[in-house]
Amino acid sequence: MSPPRGYSPNRILKACAACGECLYARSQEAMYKRSFTCQARTADVSAGYPSKCWLFQYAESSDTKEALRAISHVTQRHSRKDLETAERRAEVLMAYVREIHSGEPSLAWYRKQLARHTAQIVNAALAPLPYWHTEHLKFFSLKSIAPIDGCVDRVRERSNDHLADLLAGYIEYHYELMQFGFDNGLYGKSNPVKFSTLHQRVYKIANYLEWVFAEGHETLQHAGRMVFDEYMTEKAVHPSAAYQLSRFYDWVRKTQRFVPRIRYNRRGKGKHRDEFPVLKLGESQEAYARIIEHPESQGRALALLALLYAQRTEDSIALKQSDLQRDVDSGLWKIERPGTEPFVVEPELSNALDQCIALAQEHVRRIGTKETEYIFPGRNRGHLGAEVASQRIVRASGHSANILRRTAIVNMYRGGQKTMGTVVLRDILGVSSPTIHQAIKMTGESVNAPTAIEEAEALRKAFLEADDD
């Protein structure tokens, strides 16, 4: 039997980009302009791996093996435009092979890599590794890590080292809280400190420290309540941002006793905010009609999940095909996820999900495998990113996902779609208690049925007086 066309029995020696040892490879490897490793398709390791091979040293770790294979894959580029990006990805993979070997890297390692490369480069480089797709991933979002450290660098450049060190210490304090959560089994969304929240907080504090220094204060000892109120007035700071600044003052006072105390709450000096945007009956009907006519199936499904079932965007984009089961009686899709109450969806949403599944089955990932897990596939951990999903919801409905979800909460409470109660809303839908109270106090009309103001007030009083336990 003759060998296949293009096959040659000739072998050449080529150095591995990882360990530096020379390995035998098929002769056509000489034509490839890429980094060569023992996991390249042309590598001949029938005689075993060399003694210095990283796989040999770390018991053939699956993460290391995929990293070595990915090095050859990402550097196989033919255009000059992709060459620099490919080299950067290979550099991240090489650092993982030599420093981490197996499993999820530490936060310190991520910060080191993100100081040299963008989050897109690091994400794309590590995406093929098995650890990246584990169920309990500590650092499932990397895009806010570099901007957090960037805020410290900005304060150091525009003010002085003392204020920058205070901000850096505040960040390290939150990272210690994060590590405490990891040590006690809190992962993912249960993590006590989220990068996105910390980034917003640090960004607001950095702006304040720069302003304080520009006003002639090199420390916080003389930047008391009068300076704080002046900043609030000049910059029109939102009460929530002022509350975060007061928290920063409290932390600084733990080590510097002469720093003044700033007391501020989220509502702004005790005043309750009335900001709770929600759609009335006519607006909800218009939004619903617009969603149904929207041509893009993924945006239509995500918007319906928010408007009809108060689903958070983060939960909707992470829906897996295994979470959908056919309802025997109606033939519609039933969403049944671990730890949540199953529910049968409306026909319009069921049809949209059918189209989304058809698109998902045609989706091919960058590493060449078909999508078989998520209903909304994408490059962010295998599914769409929250920002992209939010944009699609706005295009489909004309409103943000938060407004649609708040409208759904009010409608569920008034229309009786579910057995409403604080426990149900808080534990199953993940709604915060202030949001629940605001939803209860809303008066007017809902999507399901109009409710008189007197009846709504009676329901509100009865609901608040009821014992959840």
Side-chain angles (χ1 to χ4, degrees):
M1 182 177 179
S2 60
R5 184 178 181 182
Y7 177 82
S8 174
N10 298 331
R11 296 293 185 268
I12 62 172
L13 283 174
K14 194 165 185 179
C16 176
C19 65
E21 291 289 317
C22 289
L23 301 173
Y24 281 104
R26 295 201 295 268
S27 57
Q28 58 264 39
E29 177 64 35
M31 300 182 298
Y32 298 148
K33 296 180 180 179
R34 66 180 183 186
S35 298
F36 175 75
T37 67
C38 61
Q39 297 304 308
R41 292 184 178 181
T42 57
D44 185 2
V45 292
S46 58
Y49 298 112
S51 59
K52 294 183 180 180
C53 182
W54 295 100
L55 286 175
F56 183 79
Q57 296 183 32
Y58 298 103
E60 297 191 16
S61 165
S62 59
D63 288 318
T64 300
K65 181 178 292 186
E66 290 297 332
L68 294 174
R69 182 179 291 113
I71 289 174
S72 296
H73 176 71
V74 301
T75 54
Q76 188 176 359
R77 295 291 184 268
H78 302 287
S79 64
R80 184 178 299 177
K81 180 180 179 181
D82 295 336
L83 180 61
E84 183 179 358
T85 301
E87 292 177 349
R88 289 180 177 273
R89 293 179 185 173
E91 185 178 345
V92 174
L93 288 167
M94 194 68 68
Y96 179 88
V97 170
R98 295 177 176 176
E99 301 173 11
I100 306 301
H101 325 306
S102 179
E104 185 177 6
S106 62
L107 177 59
W109 188 85
Y110 276 127
R111 294 174 71 180
K112 177 182 176 182
Q113 298 304 317
L114 291 170
R116 305 175 60 183
H117 310 286
T118 63
Q120 291 81 359
I121 293 293
V122 178
N123 283 336
L126 302 179
L129 307 189
Y131 91 86
W132 190 266
H133 305 283
T134 55
E135 182 178 359
H136 296 297
L137 202 61
K138 296 179 182 178
F139 309 111
F140 57 89
S141 178
L142 306 179
K143 63 181 180 180
S144 295
I145 297 179
I148 290 175
D149 292 333
C151 289
V152 179
D153 297 335
R154 177 162 58 90
V155 173
R156 194 177 303 277
E157 178 183 352
R158 299 180 182 179
S159 60
N160 57 22
D161 291 339
H162 174 73
L163 297 178
D165 291 339
L166 288 180
L167 184 59
Y170 192 60
I171 295 172
E172 296 298 334
Y173 163 72
H174 282 84
Y175 285 158
E176 291 176 1
L177 290 180
M178 183 181 294
Q179 187 61 44
F180 173 82
F182 295 154
D183 296 339
N184 289 271
L186 299 177
Y187 294 93
K189 296 180 180 179
S190 300
N191 182 23
V193 178
K194 294 184 178 181
F195 285 122
S196 58
T197 304
L198 182 58
H199 179 206
Q200 297 174 7
R201 187 174 303 171
V202 171
Y203 178 79
K204 298 170 185 175
I205 297 174
N207 292 340
Y208 177 70
L209 294 179
E210 292 177 10
W211 182 88
V212 166
F213 182 80
E215 293 295 316
H217 303 283
E218 297 186 355
T219 66
L220 294 181
Q221 293 183 4
H222 301 289
R225 187 65 193 225
M226 294 181 61
V227 176
F228 186 85
D229 290 341
E230 182 181 353
Y231 176 76
M232 289 279 297
T233 304
E234 179 178 334
K235 301 297 183 180
V237 179
H238 195 276
S240 62
Y243 171 73
Q244 297 300 337
L245 292 175
S246 68
R247 294 281 301 273
F248 176 68
Y249 267 89
D250 291 340
W251 178 83
V252 174
R253 279 178 54 83
K254 294 180 180 180
T255 56
Q256 301 184 20
R257 56 180 299 183
F258 296 107
V259 171
R261 183 187 300 275
I262 304 295
R263 294 190 178 276
Y264 214 89
N265 56 37
R266 290 186 179 92
R267 299 185 179 94
K269 301 181 181 179
K271 296 181 180 179
H272 293 267
R273 289 178 296 166
D274 296 329
E275 301 176 1
F276 191 78
V278 64
L279 301 180
K280 297 298 183 180
L281 176 60
E283 297 172 336
S284 300
Q285 292 174 342
E286 292 177 1
Y288 182 78
R290 177 174 176 175
I291 295 171
I292 297 302
E293 298 297 330
H294 188 64
E296 203 269 313
S297 58
Q298 290 185 337
R300 189 165 68 252
L302 291 170
L304 289 175
L305 284 169
L307 178 61
L308 298 181
Y309 304 101
Q311 296 295 301
R312 289 177 293 190
T313 305
E314 292 80 2
D315 296 334
S316 297
I317 58 180
L319 272 175
K320 299 180 179 180
Q321 298 188 29
S322 58
D323 297 332
L324 296 184
Q325 305 292 334
R326 284 288 183 186
D327 183 61
V328 179
D329 298 330
S330 62
L332 303 174
W333 284 118
K334 178 173 65 174
I335 299 179
E336 187 172 354
R337 310 177 76 173
T340 61
E341 180 184 357
F343 57 92
V344 180
V345 301
E346 297 294 331
E348 293 80 5
L349 178 56
S350 183
N351 295 333
L353 290 175
D354 287 332
Q355 298 178 20
C356 292
I357 293 175
L359 289 175
Q361 292 174 349
E362 297 176 358
H363 183 265
V364 178
R365 290 189 181 179
R366 293 177 65 90
I367 58 177
T369 57
K370 291 285 185 179
E371 179 61 51
T372 58
E373 185 177 8
Y374 291 101
I375 299 176
F376 304 98
R379 296 173 58 184
N380 177 53
R381 303 294 180 191
H383 55 73
L384 283 178
E387 294 182 1
V388 176
S390 299
Q391 293 172 1
R392 296 191 179 186
I393 291 175
V394 172
R395 287 198 298 265
S397 63
H399 304 280
S400 67
N402 288 333
I403 293 180
L404 296 182
R405 187 167 182 258
R406 288 169 178 172
T407 303
I409 294 170
V410 175
N411 294 336
M412 285 181 178
Y413 172 73
R414 295 217 182 135
Q417 289 182 352
K418 296 174 181 278
T419 304
M420 284 295 98
T422 304
V423 174
V424 175
L425 285 169
R426 184 181 64 237
D427 297 342
I428 296 181
L429 294 179
V431 183
S432 63
S433 296
T435 303
I436 295 173
H437 295 161
Q438 288 281 6
I440 295 169
K441 289 187 288 186
M442 290 298 297
T443 58
E445 295 176 315
S446 68
V447 172
N448 301 294
T451 303
I453 295 180
E454 295 79 9
E455 296 176 358
E457 183 65 17
L459 287 173
R460 183 181 71 85
K461 291 182 178 180
F463 185 84
L464 293 177
E465 293 173 358
D467 188 358
D468 293 333
D469 297 330

PDB file of all heavy atoms in Angstrom, residues 25-42:
ATOM      1  N   ALA A  25      11.119  15.480  13.279  1.00  0.00           N
ATOM      2  CA  ALA A  25       9.864  15.946  12.696  1.00  0.00           C
ATOM      3  C   ALA A  25       9.866  15.609  11.213  1.00  0.00           C
ATOM      4  O   ALA A  25      10.928  15.407  10.599  1.00  0.00           O
ATOM      5  CB  ALA A  25       9.693  17.452  12.882  1.00  0.00           C
ATOM      6  N   ARG A  26       8.666  15.506  10.658  1.00  0.00           N
ATOM      7  CA  ARG A  26       8.572  15.253   9.230  1.00  0.00           C
ATOM      8  C   ARG A  26       9.180  16.424   8.459  1.00  0.00           C
ATOM      9  O   ARG A  26       9.143  17.576   8.911  1.00  0.00           O
ATOM     10  CB  ARG A  26       7.120  15.031   8.820  1.00  0.00           C
ATOM     11  CG  ARG A  26       6.518  13.760   9.438  1.00  0.00           C
ATOM     12  CD  ARG A  26       5.306  13.291   8.629  1.00  0.00           C
ATOM     13  NE  ARG A  26       4.210  14.240   8.691  1.00  0.00           N
ATOM     14  CZ  ARG A  26       3.233  14.203   9.574  1.00  0.00           C
ATOM     15  NH1 ARG A  26       3.230  13.238  10.489  1.00  0.00           N
ATOM     16  NH2 ARG A  26       2.257  15.086   9.547  1.00  0.00           N
ATOM     17  N   SER A  27       9.714  16.142   7.297  1.00  0.00           N
ATOM     18  CA  SER A  27      10.498  17.131   6.569  1.00  0.00           C
ATOM     19  C   SER A  27       9.687  18.364   6.186  1.00  0.00           C
ATOM     20  O   SER A  27      10.242  19.461   6.055  1.00  0.00           O
ATOM     21  CB  SER A  27      11.087  16.499   5.305  1.00  0.00           C
ATOM     22  OG  SER A  27      10.043  15.968   4.490  1.00  0.00           O
ATOM     23  N   GLN A  28       8.362  18.230   6.013  1.00  0.00           N
ATOM     24  CA  GLN A  28       7.576  19.401   5.637  1.00  0.00           C
ATOM     25  C   GLN A  28       7.499  20.440   6.749  1.00  0.00           C
ATOM     26  O   GLN A  28       7.068  21.575   6.517  1.00  0.00           O
ATOM     27  CB  GLN A  28       6.155  19.004   5.205  1.00  0.00           C
ATOM     28  CG  GLN A  28       5.361  18.254   6.242  1.00  0.00           C
ATOM     29  CD  GLN A  28       5.445  16.758   6.043  1.00  0.00           C
ATOM     30  OE1 GLN A  28       6.511  16.238   5.698  1.00  0.00           O
ATOM     31  NE2 GLN A  28       4.348  16.062   6.241  1.00  0.00           N
ATOM     32  N   GLU A  29       7.919  20.096   7.956  1.00  0.00           N
ATOM     33  CA  GLU A  29       7.947  21.064   9.047  1.00  0.00           C
ATOM     34  C   GLU A  29       8.886  22.221   8.736  1.00  0.00           C
ATOM     35  O   GLU A  29       8.689  23.345   9.208  1.00  0.00           O
ATOM     36  CB  GLU A  29       8.369  20.377  10.349  1.00  0.00           C
ATOM     37  CG  GLU A  29       8.500  21.292  11.547  1.00  0.00           C
ATOM     38  CD  GLU A  29       7.172  21.919  11.945  1.00  0.00           C
ATOM     39  OE1 GLU A  29       6.132  21.240  11.807  1.00  0.00           O
ATOM     40  OE2 GLU A  29       7.182  23.086  12.389  1.00  0.00           O
ATOM     41  N   ALA A  30       9.891  21.955   7.905  1.00  0.00           N
ATOM     42  CA  ALA A  30      10.836  23.011   7.546  1.00  0.00           C
ATOM     43  C   ALA A  30      10.168  24.113   6.749  1.00  0.00           C
ATOM     44  O   ALA A  30      10.655  25.258   6.721  1.00  0.00           O
ATOM     45  CB  ALA A  30      12.001  22.426   6.747  1.00  0.00           C
ATOM     46  N   MET A  31       9.040  23.823   6.095  1.00  0.00           N
ATOM     47  CA  MET A  31       8.357  24.836   5.296  1.00  0.00           C
ATOM     48  C   MET A  31       7.447  25.719   6.135  1.00  0.00           C
ATOM     49  O   MET A  31       7.022  26.773   5.674  1.00  0.00           O
ATOM     50  CB  MET A  31       7.523  24.152   4.196  1.00  0.00           C
ATOM     51  CG  MET A  31       8.356  23.309   3.236  1.00  0.00           C
ATOM     52  SD  MET A  31       7.335  22.579   1.931  1.00  0.00           S
ATOM     53  CE  MET A  31       6.227  21.551   2.898  1.00  0.00           C
ATOM     54  N   TYR A  32       7.119  25.299   7.359  1.00  0.00           N
ATOM     55  CA  TYR A  32       6.170  26.033   8.182  1.00  0.00           C
ATOM     56  C   TYR A  32       6.869  27.158   8.932  1.00  0.00           C
ATOM     57  O   TYR A  32       7.926  26.961   9.534  1.00  0.00           O
ATOM     58  CB  TYR A  32       5.486  25.108   9.190  1.00  0.00           C
ATOM     59  CG  TYR A  32       4.667  24.017   8.555  1.00  0.00           C
ATOM     60  CD1 TYR A  32       4.544  22.775   9.164  1.00  0.00           C
ATOM     61  CD2 TYR A  32       4.008  24.220   7.351  1.00  0.00           C
ATOM     62  CE1 TYR A  32       3.790  21.768   8.593  1.00  0.00           C
ATOM     63  CE2 TYR A  32       3.261  23.233   6.769  1.00  0.00           C
ATOM     64  CZ  TYR A  32       3.152  22.004   7.385  1.00  0.00           C
ATOM     65  OH  TYR A  32       2.407  21.016   6.806  1.00  0.00           O
ATOM     66  N   LYS A  33       6.289  28.323   8.906  1.00  0.00           N
ATOM     67  CA  LYS A  33       6.823  29.464   9.657  1.00  0.00           C
ATOM     68  C   LYS A  33       6.047  29.579  10.960  1.00  0.00           C
ATOM     69  O   LYS A  33       5.133  30.383  11.109  1.00  0.00           O
ATOM     70  CB  LYS A  33       6.694  30.743   8.833  1.00  0.00           C
ATOM     71  CG  LYS A  33       7.508  30.729   7.553  1.00  0.00           C
ATOM     72  CD  LYS A  33       7.352  32.024   6.781  1.00  0.00           C
ATOM     73  CE  LYS A  33       8.175  32.007   5.497  1.00  0.00           C
ATOM     74  NZ  LYS A  33       8.019  33.261   4.730  1.00  0.00           N
ATOM     75  N   ARG A  34       6.418  28.731  11.899  1.00  0.00           N
ATOM     76  CA  ARG A  34       5.712  28.703  13.177  1.00  0.00           C
ATOM     77  C   ARG A  34       6.656  28.173  14.255  1.00  0.00           C
ATOM     78  O   ARG A  34       7.740  27.657  13.967  1.00  0.00           O
ATOM     79  CB  ARG A  34       4.493  27.803  13.094  1.00  0.00           C
ATOM     80  CG  ARG A  34       4.836  26.332  12.887  1.00  0.00           C
ATOM     81  CD  ARG A  34       3.606  25.470  12.801  1.00  0.00           C
ATOM     82  NE  ARG A  34       3.959  24.069  12.665  1.00  0.00           N
ATOM     83  CZ  ARG A  34       3.082  23.100  12.448  1.00  0.00           C
ATOM     84  NH1 ARG A  34       1.800  23.394  12.335  1.00  0.00           N
ATOM     85  NH2 ARG A  34       3.458  21.846  12.330  1.00  0.00           N
ATOM     86  N   SER A  35       6.214  28.272  15.492  1.00  0.00           N
ATOM     87  CA  SER A  35       6.976  27.716  16.606  1.00  0.00           C
ATOM     88  C   SER A  35       6.736  26.209  16.670  1.00  0.00           C
ATOM     89  O   SER A  35       5.582  25.760  16.636  1.00  0.00           O
ATOM     90  CB  SER A  35       6.565  28.371  17.921  1.00  0.00           C
ATOM     91  OG  SER A  35       6.836  29.755  17.894  1.00  0.00           O
ATOM     92  N   PHE A  36       7.793  25.456  16.777  1.00  0.00           N
ATOM     93  CA  PHE A  36       7.703  23.994  16.767  1.00  0.00           C
ATOM     94  C   PHE A  36       7.761  23.467  18.196  1.00  0.00           C
ATOM     95  O   PHE A  36       8.616  23.876  18.988  1.00  0.00           O
ATOM     96  CB  PHE A  36       8.840  23.411  15.939  1.00  0.00           C
ATOM     97  CG  PHE A  36       8.902  21.907  15.979  1.00  0.00           C
ATOM     98  CD1 PHE A  36       7.986  21.144  15.274  1.00  0.00           C
ATOM     99  CD2 PHE A  36       9.852  21.265  16.747  1.00  0.00           C
ATOM    100  CE1 PHE A  36       8.030  19.761  15.313  1.00  0.00           C
ATOM    101  CE2 PHE A  36       9.910  19.890  16.801  1.00  0.00           C
ATOM    102  CZ  PHE A  36       8.991  19.132  16.083  1.00  0.00           C
ATOM    103  N   THR A  37       6.863  22.554  18.538  1.00  0.00           N
ATOM    104  CA  THR A  37       6.873  21.874  19.833  1.00  0.00           C
ATOM    105  C   THR A  37       6.622  20.394  19.613  1.00  0.00           C
ATOM    106  O   THR A  37       6.309  19.943  18.491  1.00  0.00           O
ATOM    107  CB  THR A  37       5.795  22.439  20.780  1.00  0.00           C
ATOM    108  OG1 THR A  37       4.494  22.119  20.250  1.00  0.00           O
ATOM    109  CG2 THR A  37       5.921  23.942  20.936  1.00  0.00           C
ATOM    110  N   CYS A  38       6.723  19.631  20.681  1.00  0.00           N
ATOM    111  CA  CYS A  38       6.509  18.190  20.580  1.00  0.00           C
ATOM    112  C   CYS A  38       5.058  17.839  20.290  1.00  0.00           C
ATOM    113  O   CYS A  38       4.760  16.686  19.947  1.00  0.00           O
ATOM    114  CB  CYS A  38       6.962  17.497  21.869  1.00  0.00           C
ATOM    115  SG  CYS A  38       6.064  18.037  23.347  1.00  0.00           S
ATOM    116  N   GLN A  39       4.130  18.806  20.432  1.00  0.00           N
ATOM    117  CA  GLN A  39       2.725  18.558  20.166  1.00  0.00           C
ATOM    118  C   GLN A  39       2.304  19.002  18.770  1.00  0.00           C
ATOM    119  O   GLN A  39       1.116  18.934  18.441  1.00  0.00           O
ATOM    120  CB  GLN A  39       1.868  19.269  21.215  1.00  0.00           C
ATOM    121  CG  GLN A  39       2.084  18.771  22.622  1.00  0.00           C
ATOM    122  CD  GLN A  39       1.849  17.269  22.749  1.00  0.00           C
ATOM    123  OE1 GLN A  39       0.803  16.759  22.337  1.00  0.00           O
ATOM    124  NE2 GLN A  39       2.815  16.559  23.319  1.00  0.00           N
ATOM    125  N   ALA A  40       3.249  19.453  17.939  1.00  0.00           N
ATOM    126  CA  ALA A  40       2.933  19.778  16.553  1.00  0.00           C
ATOM    127  C   ALA A  40       2.578  18.505  15.794  1.00  0.00           C
ATOM    128  O   ALA A  40       3.051  17.405  16.123  1.00  0.00           O
ATOM    129  CB  ALA A  40       4.105  20.487  15.895  1.00  0.00           C
ATOM    130  N   ARG A  41       1.770  18.635  14.781  1.00  0.00           N
ATOM    131  CA  ARG A  41       1.308  17.461  14.041  1.00  0.00           C
ATOM    132  C   ARG A  41       2.452  16.735  13.339  1.00  0.00           C
ATOM    133  O   ARG A  41       2.385  15.525  13.117  1.00  0.00           O
ATOM    134  CB  ARG A  41       0.255  17.878  13.013  1.00  0.00           C
ATOM    135  CG  ARG A  41      -1.049  18.361  13.630  1.00  0.00           C
ATOM    136  CD  ARG A  41      -2.077  18.671  12.556  1.00  0.00           C
ATOM    137  NE  ARG A  41      -3.340  19.090  13.151  1.00  0.00           N
ATOM    138  CZ  ARG A  41      -4.431  19.401  12.459  1.00  0.00           C
ATOM    139  NH1 ARG A  41      -4.394  19.346  11.130  1.00  0.00           N
ATOM    140  NH2 ARG A  41      -5.536  19.775  13.068  1.00  0.00           N
ATOM    141  N   THR A  42       3.471  17.468  12.993  1.00  0.00           N
ATOM    142  CA  THR A  42       4.586  16.852  12.276  1.00  0.00           C
ATOM    143  C   THR A  42       5.645  16.274  13.207  1.00  0.00           C
ATOM    144  O   THR A  42       6.608  15.672  12.738  1.00  0.00           O
ATOM    145  CB  THR A  42       5.252  17.887  11.364  1.00  0.00           C
ATOM    146  OG1 THR A  42       5.667  19.008  12.156  1.00  0.00           O
ATOM    147  CG2 THR A  42       4.280  18.367  10.292  1.00  0.00           C
TER     148      THR A  42
END
